[in-house]
Amino acid sequence: MNEKSCSFHNENELRDGQVASVPAGNSPPYDKDNSALLAFRGIPISELKNHSILQALTSEANGWAPGGSRTSSDQPGQLISFSEALQHFQTVDLSPFKKRIQPTIRRTGLAALRHCLFGPPKLHQGLREERDLVLTIAQCGLDNQDPVHGRVLQTIYRKLTGSKFDCALHGDHWEDLGFQGANPATDLRGAGFLALLHLLYLVMDSKTLLMAQEIFRLSHHHIQQFPFCLMSVNITRIAIQALREECLSRECNRQQKVVPVVNSFYAATFLHLAHVWKTQQKTIADSGFVLKDLEVLAKKSPRRLLKTLEIYLAKVSKGQTSLLGAQKCGGAPAPHSKDLTFTGVCDLPPHSSEGTWVV
């Protein structure tokens, strides 16, 4: 599978005409404190958003710096919930991204006939808009200029590390969370911002937070270490493919929801991977094969994975089980080596001719 088929392009939609006008009669009198306002005179409205003074004023008001760093290290930003982040995507214009999606895979010949006769049911008509929203978010890139995007990253970082403070949106600390480099945006190909929403769901849902923290600790095992966030991105890709191949339609129809089903499927698949990784003593060298087997199982038996997750979370809430058990990940957390070679689902050859690897 080549890189191109799994890539997506980050697009920052710039909207003009959103500068609120100020009535001429309300202009404040000139004094030395207002002298900075004179800098805007003679500048076209369409250029104001690029002016350094206006950017500084806006950043100070919102507690956000366009360059991706916080304006105050002593005042951590407010955590963002999954529902708030999802609502953001429900209210912004995503039409340029929606044009790219393929809600279902195209089948021809015997594959189409077999799917029609023996495949899963089609998604109910009333749920298709919600499905399309999920797939559209997967086409959106990470925009560090968007405060909501930044809050999602900061929330993921703080919940996984236990830090009380925000961090820079670029830096080596993201490698500690399991991204391949200093900029998380470069690792989202094939999954887009949906990958970050899934991580947000995992750490902000009280039922799955403990699971997320345990998998994160497992990812730092001195022998079995793996890049946590990169692995999560690959599981999001599997969830996207399962949705497009209608593997989740039966469960979505049963619950009359799409987003919660996809979230639970993602969490259940991650849980199964962690269980296999720990019990079968897998290492980073096994990553590609583990993910390939995981995808086959997840698409074939989604209900089984969801049931396992349900049982696991019920026991965790009662303190009756732990993913890592009594065995601790020995020693201090191992830093992720830059020499490790991680193989994701997009790096493996396709196992069928039905285009199931294309997002």
Side-chain angles (χ1 to χ4, degrees), residues 27-36 38 41:
S27 299
Y30 171 79
D31 58 41
K32 64 180 180 179
D33 294 328
N34 293 327
S35 59
L38 294 177
R41 290 184 177 179

Side-chain angles (χ1 to χ4, degrees), residues 50-349:
N50 298 321
H51 199 282
S52 58
I53 297 179
L54 183 61
Q55 288 181 343
L57 292 174
T58 304
S59 301
E60 182 177 356
N62 295 335
W64 189 259
S69 59
R70 291 179 298 109
T71 58
S72 173
S73 59
D74 297 328
Q75 297 294 329
Q78 184 179 4
L79 299 179
I80 188 170
S81 67
F82 175 85
S83 59
E84 183 181 351
L86 179 63
Q87 187 178 26
H88 170 73
F89 284 96
Q90 291 172 324
T91 55
V92 298
D93 179 20
L94 299 178
S95 54
F97 302 102
K98 190 173 183 179
K99 294 176 182 178
R100 304 179 192 169
I101 69 171
Q102 296 179 14
T104 58
I105 66 169
R106 293 187 293 267
R107 296 179 174 87
T108 59
L110 291 177
L113 179 60
R114 183 172 61 250
H115 182 78
C116 180
L117 295 176
F118 308 109
K122 290 186 177 296
L123 189 68
H124 290 168
Q125 182 70 36
L127 298 175
R128 293 178 186 178
E129 183 178 349
E130 188 177 354
R131 173 203 61 192
D132 291 352
L133 173 64
V134 172
L135 297 177
T136 300
I137 295 174
Q139 292 292 331
C140 299
L142 171 62
D143 179 7
N144 286 334
Q145 301 292 327
D146 189 325
V148 171
H149 289 210
R151 287 178 62 200
V152 169
L153 273 181
Q154 299 288 8
T155 300
I156 293 169
Y157 177 83
R158 287 167 57 183
K159 296 295 283 189
L160 284 176
T161 64
S163 172
K164 295 181 180 179
F165 301 100
D166 292 345
C167 63
L169 296 184
H170 290 171
D172 292 342
H173 49 279
W174 292 111
E175 295 181 39
D176 295 334
L177 262 65
F179 287 104
Q180 289 188 112
N183 181 8
T186 60
D187 288 334
L188 303 182
R189 65 186 178 93
F193 204 87
L194 184 64
L196 295 179
L197 281 189
H198 277 167
L199 278 169
L200 182 67
Y201 159 76
L202 206 63
V203 300
M204 288 302 285
D205 190 300
S206 59
K207 301 188 297 295
T208 57
L209 174 59
L210 179 60
M211 184 186 88
Q213 292 171 337
E214 288 197 289
I215 298 176
F216 184 61
R217 289 198 298 273
L218 176 62
S219 74
H220 284 81
H221 191 278
H222 63 291
I223 296 175
Q224 293 184 270
Q225 62 175 300
F226 60 86
F228 175 85
C229 287
L230 195 58
M231 189 72 82
S232 175
V233 171
N234 276 269
I235 294 174
T236 295
R237 291 174 186 158
I238 292 175
I240 292 169
Q241 290 305 113
L243 181 63
R244 291 185 61 238
E245 294 179 32
E246 302 177 292
C247 302
L248 304 180
S249 294
R250 189 185 308 277
E251 189 64 24
C252 290
N253 291 343
R254 189 182 72 84
Q255 296 191 27
Q256 286 297 296
K257 298 175 182 177
V258 175
V259 171
V261 171
V262 175
N263 286 349
S264 296
F265 177 80
Y266 155 81
T269 305
F270 210 164
L271 174 64
H272 184 80
L273 178 138
H275 175 75
V276 169
W277 199 271
K278 177 181 182 297
T279 59
Q280 298 184 19
Q281 300 296 306
K282 299 298 183 181
T283 66
I284 196 69
D286 304 309
S287 59
F289 303 103
V290 171
L291 284 167
K292 186 174 182 179
D293 292 342
L294 180 67
E295 180 175 22
V296 173
L297 172 65
K299 292 178 180 178
K300 183 180 180 180
S301 307
R303 181 57 187 158
R304 171 185 164 191
L305 290 183
L306 291 171
K307 188 63 177 177
T308 300
L309 175 68
E310 182 182 338
I311 294 172
Y312 170 82
L313 294 179
K315 289 183 177 181
V316 166
S317 65
K318 299 177 182 178
Q320 297 176 350
T321 189
S322 171
L323 180 65
L324 302 181
Q327 181 181 358
K328 301 295 182 182
C329 294
H336 287 298
S337 171
K338 294 185 179 181
D339 297 328
L340 293 177
T341 302
F342 178 84
T343 305
V345 293
C346 279
D347 301 312
L348 293 172

